[in-house]
């Protein structure tokens, strides 16, 4: 497997999960400053132009919650919650919280724009 990541991004969660699981994988750094995520070589791996991307024997997975679920199911000795659907769902809730709330707060604190500014319509 290959994990494509960039420093200071939510790909860290996938990186930690792979390390904790003992998976045989190769980390591949994507240099955002050089805009490697927009270059054809990387876009062939992940057309979204984002990280993380995990290349597996079966194909490419993107988005942190999907990668974390894949790692958990691929290494059940490391992540024993798979035996209990409710506990697995609780783990997924926590993973999604990390991705959608903690990561966004971290990005904003680091000066990364939160996304497009949505303006209220002008009064008529």
């Amino acid at each position: 497997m290959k994990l494509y990541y960039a420093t200071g991004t939510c790909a860290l969660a996938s990186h930690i999960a792979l390390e904790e699981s003992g998976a045989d994988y190769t980390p591949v750094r994507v240099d955002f400053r050089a805009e490697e995520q927009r270059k054809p070589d990387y876009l062939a791996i992940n057309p979204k132009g984002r990280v993380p991307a995990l290349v597996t024997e079966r194909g490419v997975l993107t988005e942190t919650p999907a990668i974390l679920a894949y790692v958990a199911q691929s290494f059940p000795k490391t992540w024993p919650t798979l035996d209990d659907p409710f506990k697995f769902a609780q783990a997924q809730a926590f993973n999604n919280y990390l991705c959608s709330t903690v990561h966004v707060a971290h990005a904003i604190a680091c000066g990364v724009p939160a996304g497009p500014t949505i303006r209220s319509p002008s009064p008529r």
Side-chain angles (χ1 to χ4, degrees):
M1 290 187 291
K2 285 187 180 180
L3 174 69
Y4 289 83
Y5 74 97
T7 305
T9 67
C10 63
L12 180 60
S14 299
H15 205 155
I16 290 170
L18 286 164
E19 282 294 316
E20 289 291 320
S21 72
D24 182 19
Y25 77 101
T26 302
V28 180
R29 184 173 176 262
V30 178
D31 187 347
F32 276 20
R33 288 190 179 163
E35 296 191 358
E36 288 180 354
Q37 77 275 20
R38 296 183 184 351
K39 294 184 178 169
D41 286 347
Y42 186 69
L43 291 173
I45 295 162
N46 185 357
K48 297 173 190 172
R50 300 179 63 161
V51 294
L54 182 66
V55 178
T56 74
E57 292 177 352
R58 296 182 64 187
V60 179
L61 294 170
T62 62
E63 305 302 331
T64 299
I67 293 171
L68 294 177
Y70 175 79
V71 172
Q73 291 183 348
S74 297
F75 300 93
K77 289 182 182 177
T78 306
W79 310 101
T81 60
L82 291 177
D83 294 340
D84 182 334
F86 186 78
K87 287 183 181 179
F88 184 68
Q90 285 180 314
Q92 290 305 313
F94 181 69
N95 289 342
N96 283 286
Y97 169 75
L98 291 176
C99 298
S100 63
T101 305
V102 175
H103 173 65
V104 171
H106 170 72
I108 292 169
C110 291
V112 176
T117 303
I118 299 173
R119 296 187 179 138
S120 299
S122 302
R124 294 184 183 183

